[in-house]
Amino acid sequence: MKVSVKEAGKVRVIDLKGRITLGSGDLELRKAVQEQIDAGNTNIILNMQGIDYIDSAGLGELVACKKRASAKGGNVKLVMPSESVYKVLSIVSLHLVFEIFDSEVKAIGSF
């Protein structure tokens, strides 16, 4: 999985590309989010437009990232998951846990 971070005021947008799976994908997601939290950036948007697959380890890491940010007074929100990824989020009811936006601008504005 490829990860890049950009700044949008008080919000950090983490662009994700590839697969969030057990092994490298979930570890890269954890590292990227934890680096932002450690730097004091707790308002995080995960741009999932480039994610084509997520497994149970990836889902678990999404929840863990949200919990770590919330513990520091922040939040993690999702932008543009693909139809297949959204379907997986829905099956396990994570679409009720995360705020999910259809555009990065709307997600940034929600903070």
Side-chain angles (χ1 to χ4, degrees), residues 1 16-20 48-54 82 85:
M1 183 175 72
L16 307 171
K17 293 198 183 339
R19 301 163 66 96
I20 305 175
M48 300 186 66
Q49 186 175 15
I51 297 297
D52 53 23
Y53 181 80
I54 187 166
S82 68
V85 171

Side-chain angles (χ1 to χ4, degrees), residues 45-93:
I45 294 170
L46 299 177
N47 184 340
M48 300 186 66
Q49 186 175 15
I51 297 297
D52 53 23
Y53 181 80
I54 187 166
D55 68 5
S56 59
L59 294 172
E61 189 53 42
L62 281 179
V63 173
C65 289
K66 184 172 179 67
K67 286 179 73 172
R68 286 194 299 274
S70 295
K72 299 285 185 173
N75 200 354
V76 173
K77 301 180 183 187
L78 308 180
V79 172
M80 296 186 282
S82 68
E83 186 177 336
S84 61
V85 171
Y86 184 81
K87 194 177 288 186
V88 172
L89 293 170
S90 297
I91 289 169
V92 295
S93 298

Side-chain angles (χ1 to χ4, degrees), residues 1-73:
M1 183 175 72
K2 293 184 180 181
V3 177
S4 62
V5 180
K6 58 188 172 195
E7 186 178 326
K10 294 187 225 175
V11 178
R12 294 301 175 271
V13 178
I14 301 176
D15 290 318
L16 307 171
K17 293 198 183 339
R19 301 163 66 96
I20 305 175
T21 57
L22 179 63
S24 65
D26 65 329
L27 298 177
E28 291 174 42
L29 174 59
R30 178 182 307 151
K31 180 182 175 205
V33 171
Q34 193 60 51
E35 284 175 356
Q36 294 307 311
I37 292 170
D38 290 346
N41 304 314
T42 57
N43 293 329
I44 298 169
I45 294 170
L46 299 177
N47 184 340
M48 300 186 66
Q49 186 175 15
I51 297 297
D52 53 23
Y53 181 80
I54 187 166
D55 68 5
S56 59
L59 294 172
E61 189 53 42
L62 281 179
V63 173
C65 289
K66 184 172 179 67
K67 286 179 73 172
R68 286 194 299 274
S70 295
K72 299 285 185 173

